[in-house]
């Protein structure tokens, strides 16, 4: 069976990208910080609506990191303007900087729409979380090319606490290779030896751990492949026809109380995306973990 399908329905477990937010107006500074971590950063562009801009870290496995920042703080816009309201209501307007979202590949031509499929599955989950109807998105690349996509977003995404625990879905209307320019091949070659995404680590306090797990079971469409009292793990697919040596994993776990960063994260974020694991060439120098400085990257030699 193709990883894009489960019977007649599109797959809901294809990792597309991970979003890293930094303070307004810092996109160029952030790109340099990621270069210092050994990543090759390529130009992105300005999103439709003109509120945010991005740069990209394209992985050899077909996924990518989106480095994003607002162009201006809310105070930049006149209070009576549509831009003020749009900026204030943006899903990431109240989010602390760091890993603010992760996206699975969407299906803009799905019938029924992906949001309907997800919401039918989520009816069995006590939290009541639902996905909003699909909305259009896009941006203009630095070379002027217009990109279009469709977003399927959980209604909880704008929540200050717990808003980063569930994926949103991004499905291309224009070709994905325009949004994720993996060519030339040098775009996905990294001095730090990065080979692809190893894991996404979502932390959840014990009080909501079972609920978040049930939400992810419904969204991914499968039970965890590994399961303990404090950690559940799902295997994810990757875009396109890439068959990687190592599939990325979605890891839901309770915080390690001996790790002050994890403890502080759940205090301020609730359940949410805490850490990105990156597979790196074992012949390189990357080991342990690094800070972006707003989020943690774990280096996984292979």
């Amino acid at each position: 069976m193709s990883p894009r399908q489960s019977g007649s329905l599109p797959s809901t477990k294809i990792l597309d990208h991970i979003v890293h937010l930094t303070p307004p107006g810092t996109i160029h500074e952030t790109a340099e910080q990621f270069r210092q971590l050994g990543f090759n950063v390529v130009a992105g562009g300005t999103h439709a609506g003109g509120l945010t801009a991005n740069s990209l870290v394209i992985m050899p496995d077909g996924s990518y990191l989106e480095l994003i920042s607002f162009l201006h703080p809310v105070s930049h816009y006149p209070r009576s303007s549509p831009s003020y309201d749009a900026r204030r209501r943006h899903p990431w307007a109240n989010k602390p900087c760091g890993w603010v979202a992760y996206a699975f590949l969407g299906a803009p031509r799905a019938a029924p729409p992906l949001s309907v499929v997800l919401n039918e599955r989520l009816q069995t989950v006590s939290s009541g979380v639902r996905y909003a109807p699909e909305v259009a998105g896009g941006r203009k690349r630095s070379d002027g090319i217009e990109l279009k996509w469709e977003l399927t977003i959980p209604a909880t995404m704008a929540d200050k606490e717990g808003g980063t625990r569930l994926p949103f879905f991004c499905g291309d209307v224009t070709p994905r290779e325009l949004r994720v320019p993996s060519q030339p091949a040098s775009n996905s070659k990294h001095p730090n030896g990065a080979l692809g995404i190893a894991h996404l680590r979502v932390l959840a306090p014990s009080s909501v751990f079972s609920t978040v797990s049930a939400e992810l079971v419904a969204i991914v469409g499968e039970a965890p492949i590994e399961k303990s009292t404090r950690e559940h793990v799902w295997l994810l697919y990757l875009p396109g026809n890439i068959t990687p040596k190592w599939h990325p994993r979605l890891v839901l776990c309770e915080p390690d109380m001996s790790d002050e960063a994890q403890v502080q994260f759940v205090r301020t974020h609730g359940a949410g995306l805490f850490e990105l694991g990156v597979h790196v060439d074992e012949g390189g120098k990357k080991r342990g973990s690094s800070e972006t400085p707003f989020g943690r990257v774990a280096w996984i030699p292979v």
Side-chain angles (χ1 to χ4, degrees), residues 37-39 59 190-198 246 277-288 297-302:
L37 290 172
F39 291 109
M59 292 292 178
H190 302 282
N192 61 15
L195 301 173
I197 302 303
W246 311 276
V278 177
H279 279 135
V280 290
D281 191 323
E282 65 179 353
K285 296 181 180 180
K286 288 294 186 183
R287 298 289 189 276
V297 178
W299 308 106
I300 313 298
V302 290

Side-chain angles (χ1 to χ4, degrees), residues 88-99:
R88 188 171 58 86
R89 297 177 185 275
H90 194 283
W92 300 328
N94 64 354
K95 294 286 191 298
C97 292
W99 304 115

Side-chain angles (χ1 to χ4, degrees), residues 218-279:
I219 294 165
V220 172
E222 296 178 1
I225 61 166
E226 298 176 13
K227 190 173 181 179
S228 70
T229 56
R230 294 173 54 88
E231 182 173 286
H232 293 176
V233 179
W234 290 262
L235 197 68
L236 303 178
Y237 291 130
L238 289 162
N241 297 315
I242 294 174
T243 303
K245 292 182 178 179
W246 311 276
H247 282 273
R249 296 184 171 215
L250 175 60
V251 180
L252 172 68
C253 59
E254 294 183 19
D256 178 353
M257 302 309 288
S258 67
D259 184 333
E260 181 56 34
Q262 293 192 31
V263 174
Q264 183 61 30
F265 179 89
V266 295
R267 283 177 183 161
T268 58
H269 294 71
L273 180 60
F274 171 73
E275 176 187 272
L276 176 71
V278 177
H279 279 135

